[in-house]
Amino acid sequence: MRFGVIGSGSWATALAKVLTDNKNTVNWWVRNEDVIRHIRARHHNPQYLPSVYFDTNLLALSDSVGEVVAASDCLVVAVPSAYTAATLETLDRKALEGQAGPVGHKRDTARAKPAAQRLSRPRICL
């Protein structure tokens, strides 16, 4: 499964760390290009959890939400709720159509689809 993390604060950094420590590749949206350069060069987020180091070979960092969504099967939205709409407003509305909601939610199980269809667009994993 291809994971995407939207956000670069403490919560997003912690989730990206757990995912990479478990050998998952993570598509990580970071809004600030300077922070992206720092993570690539020094292997840690300079602003949040700076003592946490990453295997950057497992990180695909981007400042484009659309790129992260397109490259991911499961999305973790880890931005403050006050900024969620603004963060996701650049997405094509069809990018997440019918996919919002936690995996395993009763709506998800009520419409069982073949795996190829389920993963055709990313899931929002809460």
Side-chain angles (χ1 to χ4, degrees):
M1 180 162 296
R2 302 172 304 160
F3 291 95
V5 175
I6 307 293
S8 58
S10 297
W11 183 230
T13 301
L15 290 169
K17 178 62 173 165
V18 168
L19 289 166
T20 57
D21 279 358
N22 284 288
K23 306 301 180 213
N24 293 290
T25 298
V26 175
N27 301 297
W28 190 4
W29 175 77
V30 177
R31 68 182 167 99
N32 186 316
E33 185 63 40
D34 291 335
V35 173
I36 290 174
R37 280 193 290 276
H38 186 95
I39 293 170
R40 284 182 179 144
R42 300 189 183 231
H43 306 270
H44 70 96
N45 185 335
Q47 297 172 331
Y48 299 94
L49 307 178
S51 63
V52 171
Y53 286 81
F54 291 93
D55 176 352
T56 53
N57 293 319
L58 295 173
L59 292 177
L61 297 157
S62 177
D63 63 354
S64 167
V65 175
E67 285 178 10
V68 169
V69 168
S72 303
D73 298 320
C74 178
L75 293 174
V76 178
V77 180
V79 296
S81 58
Y83 302 103
T84 302
T87 300
L88 300 178
E89 74 183 355
T90 61
L91 289 174
D92 176 3
R93 293 234 182 252
K94 293 186 181 206
L96 299 174
E97 186 177 85
Q99 301 299 323
V103 172
H105 185 272
K106 69 179 181 179
R107 182 183 65 191
D108 189 46
T109 57
R111 294 182 314 188
K113 300 178 196 171
Q117 282 184 321
R118 277 197 314 267
L119 299 179
S120 64
R121 286 180 270 169
R123 298 289 300 154
I124 302 284
C125 301
L126 304 174

